[in-house]
Every structure is written in structure tokens, then in C-alpha cells.
Amino acid sequence: MTKVLYVHAKGGPPVGYALPRVAARSAVHLLALSDLPVGRTADPAGLCASVVARGDADDHDLVELIASRAREVGADAVVTFSEYAVVAVAEACRLLGLRGAGPAAALARDKRLMRAAWERHSIPQPRFRAVATDRQLHVATAELSGPLLLKAAWSAGSTAHQIIEGPADVAGAWERSRAVMTESARLGYAELHVGGAGEDFIVEEIVTGCAGEWFDGPGWGDYVSVEGVVVDGVFRPVCLSGRMPTVAPFTERAGITPAAVAAGAQARIVDLARRAVEALGLENCGTHTEIKLGADGRMWVIETAARFGGAMTVPQIEEVFGLDLVGMFTDQLLGRPADWPSRALTPADAEGAAGSLVVLAVNGEGAPWPRRHLWDSASVIRSAPVRAGSTLSVVHESSLPDGTPVPVYDPAAGANTMAGLCLLSADRPQTVVRDLTALVDALPRILPTAVAEGVRA
């Protein structure tokens, strides 16, 4: 029987979803680089041939740790779905002679390398500068046209984002972003392979999106993601996911599968994603490429990743298109045939639609809730104003325990201040947008008020 080493870390699709699908294709040995969810998913011991947690004593080279464990169990493949472990797993696979993202994996992780590669290939993107000191940030602010967005080169989940209107904002933005990266590392949301990654940043011009020219209906955000895979160096698109508008500065609130764009527009978007992925030279990996949609058909690539989309993107694709991306990718790494779509799938190929909502303590316009509330999944399910025929559930593995105070939204911390993750299924994409928009507005009425209700968010 084949053996797979599954490297678990924060981020990516819930391990309670992904692990059983890998285990259905092969014997699995689990290497946990971060804590596993407690009491919210199937017991990993029941799915895995072995479970090893990286303890405090295992502070030597992460690549060698992964490679050593793979050798010990005789792994035929090594897989991870976490943004923070992608580079280390790719390097370990190279040492072991196994299929993986390849030597260019860091280009799909470090935004400085990514943007430089796209610049060499004339890929449309916002103008940017790599910065490592506040002095370099001051210089970049003078060279670029504001307003600007400062972001950490190795971040994920919209963390450490700061908008800079002018030179007076530089010092505060620099200190705040660095502080958020330190806190993210403490929470386990940080690059695991590269030491000092929290000190690396880029600053970029903010391009103006225009959702209304791309979507036939209200409530959509002005960017999409192209979900796909690279098979032996060849990009294979799977589908497009849409978004609701972000929460300031650019925190993602909800993702919807499929994105309801016209066929001609989708073809143009997929072609740009193909160019962006091919410019990086990846070998075998999932891909998740975000593209900003502007007026008059303009587009800019924001970033890509050498892994599948996080949160519930992968489960949503399985629900509406019937594709088990985790299982198919496992087969690919093991050298088995994987029946990837011959083209990017469209809403016409879908059975219904699905979307996931990150619960943040802000209303639809991004204003903070006037009172503090407690997270309560039963109240959300019972009282959510969704249409007849729609189904709402809570992803417990990715949500706070019931009774926990909903964190005050911190624009710089992004998704680090989420309280819960909800999954909605409906008949079509526009229904998902309508239901999730209504849920955002209703949450302060649905969730119980904290005891200290006078405390304002």
C-alpha cells in the first residue's frame, strides 16, 4: 500500500475535511507542525497509521524534519495544504526525489519574489516596491502614487495590511504591521521555514476595481480567484471563485463558488491566471490566483499561491462541481491518473452554489458593532435569514467555542480577529450573495450580547 506523509499546519481547508480524503487514497502518517483541532473533527489517530507532533525540542531545520519523517515511514508522497508549510514541504520533496511544487515554490509564497517574476514577464499588477526598513518605506512612498498598501511579504489572510495615504502615515504603519506579524507568529499564522520572514514587506499602489462591469447582480466584490493545479509543470484551471466586498482595508469576508461572470470574461481571467502561474515555474501543486477586476476590462494579478484556496474553497468546489481536489491531488503526487477538468468549469457546469462567510464584528459597511457579542453557533443556525432552499452550517473546526466573546475587529490583524466560519449552500451564486449579505446584517441581532454590554467595539 502507498504511504503519504500529511504535514499539518495552520491555514488551508479544515484538516477534518482534507485528512479523510487523503486517507481514502493511501495510508497516512501525520506530522503536526501546529495543534490539531480538539474535539471538533474526527480523531486523527483513527485515520492515520501514525501521528507525530513537532515538539519544542524539534527546533532544527524544518525541511530535514519533514524529510526525515518521510524516510522513517517510507512515504511515497508528502502533502500539505497550509500556506505556511508549502515551501518547507516543497524543499523536502526535492531532497526525497518526490513530486512537489519544485524549486520555485518560494516565488509563490514570498510576494517580493512573486512580483519581481511577474515584472520580468510583463504580467499586469499594481506597481510595488520591496521594503525591509522604515527608511525604504519612506523612499517607496515618494516613488509610488498613493494611496498605498503595505503588506507583509510572507503573510496570509489579509494580516498586517496598512493603508498609507502619505509620508505622515509611514512610521505608524510600519510599526503596526511589524507588531501584527509578531502576534500572528505567536498564534501560529506565520511562515514556518524562513526565519525572520515577519520583517519582509512590500508596498504597492492600490488599483481601483469595478465589480459592476463584471457581475450581473449586486453584492459582489471587485476581484476573483482562479482555482487550479499544476501537473508536471502544466497549469490546469478548475474554476473561478467570487467574493463579497472586503472589509477595510482588504480583509476577505466571503468567498462564493462559482463566480457568476460571463463565459467570455471568465476566459480572459483564466488566461491571465495561466500567464501568472506559468511565469513562476511551478511543478506539481494546487494554485490559487487572485485577480482584481477593473473598469473597461482591465485586470491586475494580486497574488498567487502554490496550494489550493483556504477556508472552505475546496469543500465548496466539491459540493458544486463534484470534484474532490484533495483526493485528486493525492493521486497526482502518487503518480496515479487524476481526472482534472479539461477547461475551467463555469456556473453552467455547477449544481447549485456555495459560499463561506468569515464572521467579523463589523456590519455590511465595515462599521464596528456597537456592542460586544458572544459567538453562538446554534443561534446563528436557528435565526439566520436565509431563503427557503438554502442551507447554512457552521464550520466548528474554524470557529471559536460557543460562548467566547467575538473579537473586536482589527483592520491590521485581518482574519486573525474572526469569530466563526459559516458555510451556505443555495440554488445559484446570486442567492448565496444575497443570503450572506443578509446574515452579515443580522448577526448583531442574532448573537447574544456579552455581559459587559456597555463595552463598545
Side-chain angles (χ1 to χ4, degrees):
M1 176 181 259
T2 57
K3 301 175 184 177
V4 172
L5 180 66
Y6 184 118
V7 180
H8 165 71
K10 297 277 190 180
V15 66
Y17 169 87
L19 183 58
R21 284 158 176 78
V22 177
R25 307 296 178 109
S26 174
V28 179
H29 295 266
L30 179 63
L31 174 60
L33 304 182
S34 58
D35 292 340
L36 292 161
V38 178
R40 297 192 173 207
T41 185
D43 180 9
L47 295 169
C48 300
S50 70
V51 178
V52 172
R54 181 191 189 191
D56 293 336
D58 294 325
D59 58 356
H60 57 285
D61 181 72
L62 180 58
V63 172
E64 183 53 37
L65 172 68
I66 296 170
S68 295
R69 184 60 186 155
R71 294 187 192 102
E72 289 172 4
V73 303
D76 301 291
V78 181
V79 66
T80 189
F81 302 102
S82 166
E83 176 86 350
Y84 307 113
V86 160
V87 177
V89 167
E91 290 298 311
C93 287
R94 291 180 65 201
L95 283 178
L96 297 163
L98 301 176
R99 286 183 175 86
L107 274 67
R109 181 75 180 96
D110 182 343
K111 296 175 178 63
R112 301 167 304 170
L113 300 177
M114 184 189 307
R115 294 295 187 82
W118 288 342
E119 196 169 49
R120 291 192 297 271
H121 288 81
S122 300
I123 305 297
Q125 61 179 321
R127 292 178 66 213
F128 74 99
R129 295 289 186 274
V131 294
T133 66
D134 57 351
R135 174 58 185 164
Q136 291 178 357
L137 182 55
H138 271 288
V139 173
T141 302
E143 295 176 344
L144 300 173
S145 299
L148 306 175
L149 178 63
L150 176 66
K151 58 173 70 170
W154 298 85
S155 68
S158 305
T159 55
H161 284 189
Q162 290 280 285
I163 292 179
I164 298 174
E165 298 286 351
D169 298 334
V170 169
W174 181 250
E175 291 303 318
R176 182 65 184 132
S177 287
R178 294 174 74 236
V180 168
M181 289 305 294
T182 299
E183 176 64 11
S184 293
R186 187 188 68 80
L187 296 172
Y189 296 100
E191 173 60 33
L192 295 169
H193 176 48
V194 179
E199 301 294 322
D200 302 327
F201 291 82
I202 68 167
V203 62
E204 65 187 35
E205 295 180 350
I206 298 176
V207 292
T208 302
C210 184
E213 293 190 13
W214 297 83
F215 295 94
D216 184 18
W220 293 88
D222 58 9
Y223 71 111
V224 295
S225 58
V226 180
E227 321 302 344
V229 65
V230 179
V231 181
D232 295 331
V234 178
F235 175 63
R236 303 287 296 273
V238 173
C239 67
L240 268 63
S241 295
R243 299 292 190 279
M244 287 172 61
T246 58
V247 179
F250 290 103
T251 301
E252 293 187 358
R253 192 197 289 271
I256 300 98
T257 307
V261 297
Q266 171 159 320
R268 292 182 55 236
I269 293 168
V270 170
D271 181 65
L272 179 56
R274 184 188 308 278
R275 290 171 55 201
V277 172
E278 289 178 348
L280 302 182
L282 300 168
E283 295 181 358
N284 287 279
C285 60
T287 62
H288 172 77
T289 307
E290 296 180 353
I291 295 178
K292 186 86 163 183
L293 307 175
D296 302 320
R298 293 195 67 189
M299 296 182 287
W300 303 267
V301 184
I302 302 301
E303 60 185 58
T304 195
R307 45 86 182 165
F308 295 125
M312 297 301 287
T313 302
V314 173
Q316 289 167 204
I317 290 171
E318 182 169 12
E319 178 171 341
V320 302
F321 292 118
L323 296 177
D324 173 8
L325 299 190
V326 170
M328 294 163 68
F329 184 59
T330 302
D331 282 338
Q332 177 180 321
L333 293 181
L334 291 169
R336 300 171 182 158
D339 191 19
W340 299 108
S342 59
R343 57 171 174 80
L345 301 176
T346 71
D349 300 305
E351 292 290 335
S356 48
L357 176 74
V358 174
V359 176
L360 302 167
V362 292
N363 65 19
E365 287 70 46
W369 291 349
R371 293 179 175 175
R372 297 294 302 274
H373 292 266
L374 303 177
W375 175 246
D376 185 74
S377 55
S379 296
V380 173
I381 298 301
R382 180 174 59 251
S383 303
V386 300
R387 293 186 179 186
S390 298
T391 303
L392 183 72
S393 61
V394 170
V395 185
H396 292 287
E397 180 182 325
S398 303
S399 302
L400 295 174
D402 288 343
T404 303
V406 175
V408 174
Y409 175 65
D410 181 349
N416 287 359
T417 54
M418 67 181 285
L421 185 64
C422 300
L423 178 66
L424 184 119
S425 303
D427 58 344
R428 61 194 185 97
Q430 195 63 47
T431 304
V432 175
V433 174
R434 180 267 171 200
D435 283 348
L436 293 184
T437 300
L439 178 57
V440 167
D441 292 336
L443 280 170
R445 302 192 303 271
I446 291 173
L447 294 174
T449 304
V451 174
E453 65 178 46
V455 177
R456 297 183 65 84

